[in-house]
Structure formats: structure tokens, C-alpha cells
Amino acid sequence: MLTVTVRRARRRFKQPSRQDWLTTAVIGALTVPMAFVARDDGKVTDTLGWVLLAAMVLLTAWRRLYPLGALLALAPIQGLYHFLDNAPTAPVVASVVILYSLAVAGPRRRTFVVVPALLVLTLTMMMNVNVHQGLELVRTSGWILACTLLGEAVRVHRNYVGAIVERAERAERTREETAARRVAEERLRIARDLHDLLAHSITLIGIQTSVAAHVLNADPARLDRDTLAQALDGIADTCREARGELKRTLEVLRAEEDSGPPPGLGGLADLVRAAESAGATASLVVAADGEVPPAVGAAAYRIVQQGLTNAVQHAGPAVGVQVSVRLDEASSALLVDVVDEGSPAGDTATDRPPGFGLVGMRERARSVGGTVVAGPRADGPGFAVRAVLPCTGAAEPAGLDMGELAHD
């Protein structure tokens, strides 16, 4: 039980390090010769003086752990030492080191309150006990103040250097976090690009291949060569466009500088033609005469691409799709609408299984501060998608509902 109590006490009170004990040994080595110096009256340090001097030297081992406690313990011991008329210069080294450690530890207010108060108290006591030693202490008080100011200067310098190092480390962490965030954002963007590209291209290729197979199997004796050639040409065009977009995406991954501009509103006509080559009836209206940022144009392109893909995939190759892209000058927002007429078989839009398409469209819009509203049409069969993409940070217009969306 006693051993456990001792261990807990050791953990509670910090112990001096090896460096502290080495410093204390050096201070003791410098103090011993000064204690042998005789006074003017021939008196040297007595036995009790040596004990008090050893106690003052040992206090320096705790100067960094408990600077104020070491100084407060030093004051009465040193006062008793001088009261016994021992060698006055012997405790100088230990006193200077403890004062310096107190100033270095800070804070400044404590240093400039405690040191002058102890100095005044010591001077008062010494003048009442021994006028000669009191005058000697007055003469040496300049060194005490100089040592205190030196410790304060060192403390300020250390704090300054520490602040610089902390700012540098914080800046480094910020750079690393920014780089990691940019990498994550770039990976997400590339994942969305690949999803949109592959989903759109593979869907169109699959439908065009089905058309070609149907032409071959429907009536081999009366082969419709024009329809078959059109389907195969559509497959080739889709593959060519997919290969081009895939190349641009891979160039970004390889960090090549000349990766070309991002897709924008100028590429919407190609998307509509690709959907038409798969058998869809598509119309495109673009009314964006104002300035559209490249990021907003790229987001609109991907949303239209995914909207056409969803329409062809879920409603069938013969679906009718209306694509409208217009710039609303009142709200400075680009309004993107993709509305299909549903499946000719009469399937409802609610039968469409959820996937990553709508999630990707919402992420596209959110990347430029916009929103996407999607759902079954209110005025008939089919599905409607509206994206509101601010060009100058404008918010989504109020009062938007699916019925209004379908009629625009």
C-alpha cells in the first residue's frame, strides 16, 4: 500500500530530468569556490551556511518545473544564509538561474510582480538586520533586474519563434487538407464524368444494336439495308464520341495540360442527334444569348446527357424528348428542362428504378450552386427534370413545382 502511494505521489509531482540535474551539478561546481572566499573580517562559511547553500543549489533542479515555487523557497533560505553572515557572493549563481527561469517561464505579469516584491521585501529585511549587507544587496540588485529582463527577452523570442513554427505547421496542414479535398473532389468529378459518359454511350449502343438485330431477324428476305446501315453508323458515331470524351477524361487523370475545353452548350446538338440515332424523337431549344460560365455550361451538358440517357433507357428507343435550355435574365440562372413523353406501352414514370443518374445530376447542379427537381409529369405520362444553375450565385426561384416544370 505504501509503495502504491509513493508511486502515485511521484506521478502527481513532476520529477527533474537528467538535464536539470546536470545543470544543478554545474551550478554547484561554480558555487563551491565562491563559498570558500573569506569575508573582510576573515569569517568563512560555516556548517549551517553550507547546508543552506546546498539547499539553494538543489532548488535549481526544480526551477523549470516549479519556477515560482523555487523562487519562493529560495527567498527565506537565502535570507537566513545572509543573516548568519556567510559569504555573500556564494548564492549568486543559484539565485540568478532561478530568477532567469521564472522570467523565461512567464507570464510577464507574474514576473514583474513577484521579482520586485521579493526584492523590496529582501532589502527591507536586510537593512534592518545588517546595513552593510543591505547596501551590498542594493548594489547587486541591478544584476537581478538585468537577469529578469534577459529571461523575459528569451521568453518573448521563444514565443515568437514558436508562433512562427505553429503558423508554418498550420499552413502545411491546411495545404495538405486542401490538396486532399481537391483530390477527393477531382475523383468525384471524374467518377461522375465516367458514369455519364459510359451510361449514355452504352445505352445508345445497346439500343442501336437491338435495332440492327431486329432488322436482320425481322425479314431476312427483304433486308432493309438503309435502316441497318443507319443503325451501324449510329453505333460507330457513338463509339467515336465516347472514345473522344474518354480520352479527355484520361488526359485529366494523367495531368496533361492540353486536355481541351470542358463540354458545354455547344455540344447539346450532338447529344440530341445521338438520341435520335437510337430512334428517339428529340427536340432542342437553346436560348442563352448571355454569358454562361464554363462550369455552368459543363453542368448543363452533363444533366442533359443523363436526362436523355434515362429517357431512352426507361421509356424505350421511340420516346419523345423535349430539351430546353434558356437563360433567365431576371434570376441570372440557366434553366435546363428535359421532359419525355413516357413509354408507348403506357408504363408510368414511377416504375423507373432508382439509380445513380438522378444523384449524379443533383451533384452536378450542386457543384455550381444549383438545384435539380425531377419526377413524373403532372400533365401526362412521362418524366420531367428541371435544373436551375445560377450564373452569378442567384438562388433557385421560389414556388417551383412539378406541374409548372412540365408546362415550361
Side-chain angles (χ1 to χ4, degrees):
M1 186 64 180
L2 180 61
T3 304
V4 174
T5 304
V6 172
R7 289 178 179 176
R8 290 179 179 177
R10 288 181 178 178
R11 286 195 298 266
R12 182 178 302 175
F13 298 102
K14 299 178 182 179
Q15 298 296 321
S17 63
R18 182 179 180 181
Q19 180 181 358
D20 294 330
W21 287 115
L22 290 176
T23 304
T24 300
V26 173
I27 294 173
L30 295 175
T31 301
V32 170
M34 301 175 67
F36 280 106
V37 177
R39 293 166 46 87
D40 296 338
D41 56 2
K43 183 179 179 181
V44 296
T45 303
D46 56 13
T47 303
L48 182 57
W50 280 104
V51 174
L52 296 174
L53 192 60
M56 286 185 283
V57 172
L58 288 176
L59 283 176
T60 60
W62 281 268
R63 73 193 187 283
R64 294 197 303 174
L65 301 176
Y66 308 100
L68 180 60
L71 181 62
L72 295 179
L74 175 70
I77 296 175
Q78 189 172 5
L80 180 60
Y81 176 87
H82 289 296
F83 178 77
L84 297 176
D85 289 337
N86 292 294
T89 58
V92 169
V93 178
S95 302
V96 166
V97 171
I98 291 177
L99 283 171
Y100 172 81
S101 300
L102 177 70
V104 169
R108 180 183 304 171
R109 180 179 300 178
R110 183 184 69 179
T111 301
F112 288 121
V113 169
V114 173
V115 173
L118 286 178
L119 185 59
V120 171
L121 179 62
T122 304
L123 283 174
T124 303
M125 293 175 59
M126 292 300 296
M127 295 297 291
N128 292 329
V129 174
N130 190 318
V131 177
H132 176 71
Q133 289 191 3
L135 295 175
E136 183 68 18
L137 183 60
V138 171
R139 187 177 65 83
T140 59
S141 61
W143 291 101
I144 296 176
L145 295 178
C147 178
T148 304
L149 293 176
L150 176 62
E152 178 64 22
V154 172
R155 186 187 67 82
V156 171
H157 177 71
R158 287 182 179 178
N159 291 342
Y160 175 73
V161 173
I164 293 177
V165 173
E166 182 181 359
R167 283 197 298 270
E169 292 177 350
R170 186 165 56 247
E172 182 66 23
R173 288 194 301 268
T174 302
R175 283 194 296 268
E176 293 177 355
E177 293 172 357
T178 301
R181 185 175 64 254
R182 288 179 178 175
V183 169
E185 292 175 352
E186 186 65 14
R187 290 178 60 185
L188 181 60
R189 187 190 67 81
I190 292 173
R192 288 196 300 261
D193 287 346
L194 290 177
H195 173 268
D196 295 343
L197 168 64
L198 296 178
H200 178 74
S201 302
I202 292 174
T203 299
L204 294 182
I205 290 173
I207 293 174
Q208 291 162 345
T209 303
S210 298
V211 172
H214 175 74
V215 171
L216 289 174
N217 296 326
D219 192 355
R222 299 178 60 185
L223 182 62
D224 190 347
R225 296 181 179 273
D226 293 337
T227 304
L228 180 60
Q230 184 179 0
L232 295 177
D233 289 340
I235 294 173
D237 293 340
T238 303
C239 291
R240 191 179 304 109
E241 293 174 2
R243 185 169 60 250
E245 289 199 34
L246 185 59
K247 179 181 179 182
R248 287 194 295 270
T249 304
L250 293 178
E251 285 174 349
V252 173
L253 288 174
R254 294 174 180 173
E256 296 185 7
E257 296 182 358
D258 188 14
S259 58
L265 301 183
L268 296 179
D270 295 333
L271 293 178
V272 171
R273 283 194 295 269
E276 290 177 341
S277 67
T281 302
S283 63
L284 172 66
V285 176
V286 179
D289 298 332
E291 184 68 21
V292 177
V296 175
Y301 177 90
R302 293 302 184 187
I303 291 172
V304 172
Q305 183 183 47
Q306 186 60 49
L308 291 173
T309 301
N310 290 347
V312 174
Q313 180 179 2
H314 296 295
V319 66
V321 186
Q322 294 83 39
V323 178
S324 173
V325 179
R326 60 187 177 89
L327 182 62
D328 186 6
E329 297 181 356
S331 60
S332 298
L334 191 67
L335 305 182
V336 181
D337 293 300
V338 182
V339 182
D340 66 69
E341 299 175 355
S343 172
D347 297 336
T348 61
T350 55
D351 296 334
R352 300 181 182 182
F356 292 104
L358 293 179
V359 174
M361 284 191 284
R362 292 191 179 97
E363 290 178 350
R364 293 284 183 185
R366 192 161 49 245
S367 67
V368 294
T371 57
V372 168
V373 179
R377 295 176 58 181
D379 59 343
F383 201 81
V385 175
R386 161 165 287 189
V388 181
L389 309 177
C391 295
T392 57
E396 178 185 354
L400 180 66
D401 58 19
M402 289 309 302
E404 179 186 358
L405 183 153
H407 288 290
D408 285 343

